[in-house]
Each structure stands twice: as C-alpha cells, then as structure tokens.
C-alpha cells in the first residue's frame, strides 16, 4: 500500500471513530433527556460524516475547507457560550477543541486560534460560570491543552529531524529534489562507463488546464500523477518532485527515441486518469537524452527547456530537446492507445 493511501486511510479511520463516538453521545443525550448536549453531538457527527464522504473527491476540496472552519467556529461558539447557561451546556467539549484545531489547521494558524480561544474561555468561565466544578473544568482544559501542545511539538520536531533523511515526498512518493543532482550524476557515470543510453523527462501538469477550476485540489492531482509514475515506471527508473507541478524522471538504459515513446505513454495515461469526469486536465513532457560532455545540471536544464517549449506551443504535448519535434495526439488516438 502506498504511503499516501496509508495516510488517507488513517485520517478516514479517525473521522469514522469520531463520527461513531459522537453519534453514541447524541443517542445517550436523548436517552437521558440532555437535549442540548445531544444536539451538539449530532451536529458534530454530521460535520465529520461530511468529511468521510467527500475527503477524497477533489471537486469538494473547497467546500470541505469551509466545513472544517465551520466546525471550529461551531465548537468555539457552543463552548464559549456555555458559561452563560445555568449548569453549563457544552463545557466538556472544550477539552477536545485544541486537538481538533491542530488536526485541521496548519500549526501556526492553530496556535493563534487556540491561544485566543484559551484566553476567552478562561475569562468567561472564571467570570460567568456558576457551576460547582469551575476549578475542575479549567484544570481539565489546561491539562488537555498541555497534552495537545506536547503532541504537536513532538510531531513538528519529528518532521524537522526526518526531513533531511527523507528521500521521498509523502504526497507523490517521488524522490525529493535534494537527491536529484547526485543520483543523476551517478547514472551519467554508469551510462558512460557501460556505453548505455540515458534520458531525462521533465513532466508538468499544464497549468492553463487547471487555472479555471477554483475548486480543483492540486494536491489530489499531484497525488494521482505520482501514482501513475509509480505504477508505470520500471523498478530502476526514478522520478523526483522538482517544483510546483513539475516532475523529473531519470530513465537509465534508455535512448532518446525510446524515451519519447515512454513519455508519450505517460502523457496518454495521465490524460485518461486525470480526467475521470471528462474534464480536460493534461500534462506536457520534455525529453533530453545524454550527450557527450553532459553533466547532471545540463541534462536537467535541457529537459526543462524542452518542457517549456512544449508548453509554450500549447498543452498536452511531448517534445524532444534534440530535434525540437513536438508530438500531440488527437483525443481519439489518445483513447485508442491507452491500454
């Protein structure tokens, strides 16, 4: 299973567990006639159910972001309003607020949000809460807040420590750019020593085909491209996340004509798998073969220039740097060639 699938599966399981738990809380609230708590639990469960149903659909990415913010606002309102209600209403939900915020928002935004929320909750509870367990509520909240901050701190420290050692990009499974120059230099040396071919492909999603879609999830497209490359390259081929929507692919034992054929195959597969709903998202590819005197930098530069030339002439193209020959297959031919 791919790492991205593991991450998505884990997130889905977390959402599913939250939905089941809050549904049970809602039923318990109804059974014990605590209708206010039951309504809050039901609304929370409804939000989480929406996340479960649409988290992997790029068409709903924009709306899921709005739902995430609405969930944070909803929890903030009901918990901050609780001190004004006799006997409290949803003060215990404040315990999970920091965890949810850190789970949904980036670290810096979450820290600002949680800090402002903590100040407001402390002031309102100390001033207006009339329940007998006021000190206990604040102690429990700060204990949960401390655990949340400790978890986030450990997570960020782990990311910092692993980043220099990480060889693959979690989103696309592509190797990271920092390893490209050294890996390509070794492949050039091996190719020159063995007298075999070597080619580099520069692949990018055609930006003009996605700029008109405000709700398009670029991360989802990059994940799909990474999957396509993972499934259609040989074991000894390597591909790298270069920048933005660009990938560089190193093809050992491959001369330029064969590299062009491979690039065409990848272009056609991307055209099919990136457009399940008859959209028009395409990729263009630049091809550069190894020449005498080439080094890692020169091969990357020529592949990227070929890509730039292909995109400057339109979209959905493959172009070799050597002969500046551009290939563009019509839609019917595209579909006929895809296995």
């Amino acid at each position: 299973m791919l790492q991205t699938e593991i991450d998505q599966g884990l997130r889905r399981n977390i959402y599913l567990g939250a939905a089941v738990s809050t549904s049970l809380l809602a039923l318990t609230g109804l059974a014990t006639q605590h209708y206010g708590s039951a309504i809050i639990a039901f609304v929370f469960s409804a939000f989480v159910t929406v996340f479960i149903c649409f988290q992997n659909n790029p068409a709903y990415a924009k709306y899921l972001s709005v739902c995430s913010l609405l969930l944070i606002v909803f929890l903030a309102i009901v918990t901050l309003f609780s001190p004004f209600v006799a006997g409290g209403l949803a003060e215990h939900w404040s315990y999970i607020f920091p965890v949810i915020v850190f789970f949904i928002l980036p670290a810096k935004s979450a820290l600002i949000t949680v800090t402002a929320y903590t100040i407001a909750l402390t002031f309102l509870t100390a001033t207006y809460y009339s329940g007998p367990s006021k000190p206990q509520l604040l102690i429990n909240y700060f204990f949960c807040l401390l655990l949340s901050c400790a978890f986030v701190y450990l997570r960020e420290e782990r990311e910092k420590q692993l980043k220099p050692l990480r060889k693959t990009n979690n989103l696309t499974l592509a190797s990271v750019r920092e390893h490209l120059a050294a890996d390509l230099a070794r492949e050039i040396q091996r190719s020159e020593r063995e007298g075999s071919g070597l080619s580099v492909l520069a692949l990018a999603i055609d930006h003009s085909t996605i700029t008109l879609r405000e709700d398009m999830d670029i991360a989802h497209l990059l994940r799909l491209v990474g999957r396509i490359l993972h499934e259609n390259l040989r074991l000894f081929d390597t591909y790298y996340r270069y920048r933005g929507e660009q990938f560089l692919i190193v093809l050992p034992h491959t001369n330029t004509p064969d590299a062009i054929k491979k690039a065409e195959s990848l272009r056609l597969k991307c055209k099919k798998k990136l457009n399940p709903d008859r959209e028009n998202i395409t990729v263009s590819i630049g091809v550069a073969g190894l020449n005498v005197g080439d080094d890692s930098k020169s091969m990357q530069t020529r592949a990227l220039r070929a890509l730039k030339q292909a995109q400057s002439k339109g979209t959905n193209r493959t172009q070799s740097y050597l002969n500046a020959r551009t290939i563009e297959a019509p839609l019917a031919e595209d579909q006929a060639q895809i296995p």
Side-chain angles (χ1 to χ4, degrees):
M1 183 179 289
L2 302 182
Q3 180 62 41
T4 50
E5 292 177 330
I6 295 174
D7 294 341
Q8 291 176 9
L10 178 60
R11 181 176 288 268
R12 182 179 180 85
N13 289 338
I14 292 174
Y15 284 147
L16 184 60
V20 172
S21 300
T22 49
S23 297
L24 292 176
L25 285 176
L27 293 176
T28 302
L30 290 176
T32 57
Q33 297 183 350
H34 290 83
Y35 299 115
S37 298
I39 292 173
I40 294 171
F42 176 78
V43 173
F44 186 93
S45 179
F47 273 111
V48 177
T49 302
V50 171
F51 297 151
I52 294 174
C53 295
F54 301 112
Q55 65 170 332
N56 293 326
N57 192 328
Y60 293 96
K62 179 179 178 181
Y63 303 105
L64 285 179
S65 298
V66 174
C67 285
S68 299
L69 295 177
L70 288 177
L71 175 59
I72 293 174
V73 172
F74 169 74
L75 282 180
I77 291 175
V78 297
T79 53
L80 293 177
F81 182 74
S82 186
F84 298 97
V85 179
L89 174 64
E91 62 275 5
H92 298 293
W93 286 87
S94 63
Y95 301 160
I96 65 171
F97 184 85
V99 176
I100 293 175
V101 173
F102 279 115
F103 186 74
I104 293 177
L105 298 181
K108 291 184 178 180
S109 301
L111 182 60
I112 296 173
T113 302
V114 170
T115 300
Y117 174 83
T118 301
I119 294 173
L121 180 68
T122 303
F123 173 77
L124 293 175
T125 302
T127 307
Y128 298 102
Y129 186 71
S130 57
S133 57
K134 179 191 301 186
Q136 183 181 353
L137 287 174
L138 290 176
I139 291 173
N140 290 344
Y141 171 77
F142 280 103
F143 178 73
C144 293
L145 175 62
L146 182 62
L147 289 179
S148 301
C149 291
F151 170 76
V152 172
Y153 173 77
L154 293 175
R155 183 189 67 183
E156 294 298 319
E157 285 298 311
R158 178 175 175 272
E159 286 296 315
K160 290 179 181 179
Q161 293 173 2
L162 292 179
K163 188 174 182 180
L165 304 176
R166 185 177 291 122
K167 293 187 176 182
T168 58
N169 175 265
N170 287 337
L171 178 65
T172 63
L173 286 186
S175 299
V176 295
R177 181 178 175 179
E178 288 76 10
H179 295 277
L180 172 59
D183 292 349
L184 183 53
R186 284 195 295 269
E187 290 296 339
I188 292 174
Q189 292 175 359
R190 176 162 47 184
S191 179
E192 292 175 341
R193 184 173 61 251
E194 298 176 354
S196 59
L198 176 67
S199 297
V200 173
L201 309 182
L203 179 151
I205 300 175
D206 292 318
H207 199 262
S208 60
T209 64
I210 57 178
T211 51
L212 298 180
R213 290 289 308 278
E214 294 182 357
D215 59 345
M216 180 57 65
D217 186 355
I218 303 300
H220 181 73
L221 292 179
L222 292 173
R223 188 182 299 116
L224 288 178
V225 172
R227 175 189 285 274
I228 293 168
L229 297 178
H230 184 82
E231 294 175 348
N232 292 280
L233 294 176
R234 301 167 296 184
L235 291 177
F236 52 84
D237 296 332
T238 52
Y239 63 102
Y240 302 80
R241 175 83 182 276
Y242 193 70
R243 61 170 173 258
E245 295 90 38
Q246 294 181 349
F247 296 82
L248 259 65
I249 306 164
V250 179
L251 302 177
H253 306 287
T254 307
N255 56 30
T256 302
D258 289 339
I260 293 175
K261 293 178 182 178
K262 186 62 179 179
E264 274 294 276
S265 174
L266 292 173
R267 181 182 68 83
L268 296 172
K269 290 181 183 297
C270 287
K271 185 177 178 62
K272 177 182 179 180
K273 294 188 177 183
L274 295 181
N275 299 281
D277 299 323
R278 297 178 178 269
E279 297 168 350
N280 192 32
I281 302 170
T282 60
V283 302
S284 291
I285 306 176
V287 182
L290 178 64
N291 291 333
V292 176
D294 265 335
D295 58 14
S296 175
K297 183 177 180 180
S298 64
M299 288 201 73
Q300 294 179 53
T301 300
R302 290 193 294 114
L304 291 169
R305 286 180 179 174
L307 171 63
K308 185 176 181 180
Q309 291 172 3
Q311 291 184 318
S312 67
K313 296 179 180 180
T315 59
N316 193 30
R317 296 169 183 265
T318 297
Q319 178 160 312
S320 167
Y321 183 81
L322 274 179
N323 54 21
R325 180 169 63 90
T326 302
I327 303 171
E328 181 183 10
L331 180 60
E333 184 180 348
D334 285 358
Q335 296 176 340
Q337 293 186 42
I338 298 174

